[in-house]
Amino acid sequence: MSHHEPHQKHLIQVFRNNDHIGSGVRLTRYFALTAAHCLGDDRENRMRPVLLRLPDGRHLDGEVQQFDLLADMALLKIVFQKGERVPLPGIHFDVAREGESWTAVHPRPDDGMLRGTVSDVSVIYQSTGEQAVNCHRLRHDGAHDDVRKFAGSPVGRGEPDPDRPSVVLGLLVARPATTDAPQDTLFAGTIDEAVRRFDTFKFRPAPQQALSGSERIYEVRQDHEAEALARKDRTVPAGLAAVTSYVNLRWHRPRP
């Protein structure tokens, strides 16, 4: 079994003009994240449509919904044909733990895998006078010819295990120009930060109940009853009325 296979449900490839410009992590039926710097050097280029390759081999159009240069993350919408089956990606998200192992794979098998340990679970990635973005700081084991081609790749917990569901800690973002971190240091944007920063991407917290034996902070579930209730939820801001993907997303948050 290929070491890429456990990541297949959420690892996507991002193309423009037949050029592979980055990777991404699929969040829900219709949304994915990638590293913003992969999309271009100015706003006009960043907002241009992309082509997305899903793990099942489908090539689908993608729309850049938003990007955030401070976090180096961009939110992509996957455009499916009307009536096309859109399964959930079956993915768990979690917060990293200091000292634990991580891996990141590239969609092209010949480009191998990155691995290492988590150095810091919450450091300032970039900041302005008014706001700051947190990220995970990772130590990269060994040398790699060009880690930049892994931009946007999901950072998974530990070694891939085909018998266990993948747990994603974030996605690889660019090295900040101002950092004085050692050269073997990589940075991972967190899903938590993406949820906070992208107002198009909303979620409805689940009832406060523990998930037995789980330390995950987010889990995507298919819950038709909850989706129906979400449609009727009058507390949802009016601005979300046109965001049809909202009702397809359920974030489950266990007790602290």
Side-chain angles (χ1 to χ4, degrees):
M1 181 174 290
S2 167
H3 66 260
H4 298 275
E5 193 165 335
H7 295 258
Q8 290 292 302
K9 292 182 179 179
H10 56 271
L11 175 64
I12 64 171
Q13 300 179 57
V14 186
F15 294 86
R16 273 214 189 106
N17 300 324
N18 295 321
D19 294 326
H20 183 270
I21 61 173
S23 299
V25 53
R26 188 166 168 211
L27 298 173
T28 67
R29 286 186 177 96
Y30 300 107
F31 284 113
L33 282 177
T34 189
H37 76 271
C38 296
L39 299 175
D41 297 328
D42 56 55
R43 178 177 177 80
E44 183 177 357
N45 277 322
R46 291 187 199 104
M47 295 302 294
R48 288 168 50 211
V50 292
L51 183 68
L52 305 176
R53 186 182 189 278
L54 271 58
D56 61 10
R58 280 185 287 182
H59 287 80
L60 300 170
D61 291 333
E63 299 174 353
V64 180
Q65 297 285 294
Q66 290 178 274
F67 62 85
D68 189 310
L69 297 182
L70 202 63
D72 191 30
M73 288 191 285
L75 184 67
L76 307 176
K77 184 174 182 180
I78 307 169
V79 181
F80 291 88
Q81 296 297 317
K82 185 176 181 179
E84 187 172 2
R85 183 174 177 269
V86 187
L88 284 163
I91 179 174
H92 299 156
F93 302 103
D94 201 355
V95 172
R97 298 189 292 258
E98 188 172 334
E100 74 174 331
S101 63
W102 63 269
T103 54
V105 300
H106 193 275
R108 299 172 180 173
D110 293 342
D111 286 325
M113 174 186 290
L114 302 179
R115 55 169 52 87
T117 54
V118 176
S119 302
D120 295 283
V121 299
S122 183
V123 297
I124 299 298
Y125 176 65
Q126 294 190 106
S127 64
T128 66
E130 299 180 348
Q131 56 182 319
V133 174
N134 292 315
C135 73
H136 298 325
R137 190 161 66 178
L138 313 173
R139 185 177 64 80
H140 170 221
D141 292 342
H144 197 281
D145 293 340
D146 187 3
V147 298
R148 290 176 298 178
K149 63 189 174 187
F150 285 81
S153 291
V155 174
R157 166 168 290 151
E159 294 292 330
D161 183 345
D163 298 321
R164 301 180 62 184
S166 298
V167 177
V168 169
L169 308 175
L171 71 158
L172 291 176
V173 291
R175 182 182 175 90
T178 57
T179 186
D180 58 358
Q183 288 301 309
D184 64 353
T185 300
L186 302 179
F187 297 85
T190 67
I191 307 302
D192 216 18
E193 193 69 56
V195 169
R196 284 195 293 269
R197 302 191 72 82
F198 294 132
D199 56 12
T200 302
F201 183 64
K202 297 295 184 182
F203 66 96
R204 183 172 184 264
Q208 292 298 310
Q209 58 184 27
L211 296 177
S212 177
S214 171
E215 295 180 354
R216 297 188 301 273
I217 60 166
Y218 297 132
E219 178 184 7
V220 177
R221 291 183 182 178
Q222 189 165 4
D223 189 335
H224 296 297
E225 181 179 355
E227 291 177 3
L229 289 173
R231 290 189 181 93
K232 300 176 182 178
D233 189 348
R234 297 186 181 278
T235 66
V236 176
L240 286 179
V243 184
T244 57
S245 296
Y246 169 80
V247 297
N248 292 309
L249 172 63
R250 287 281 291 170
W251 292 106
H252 289 252
R253 185 190 300 273
R255 295 182 188 278

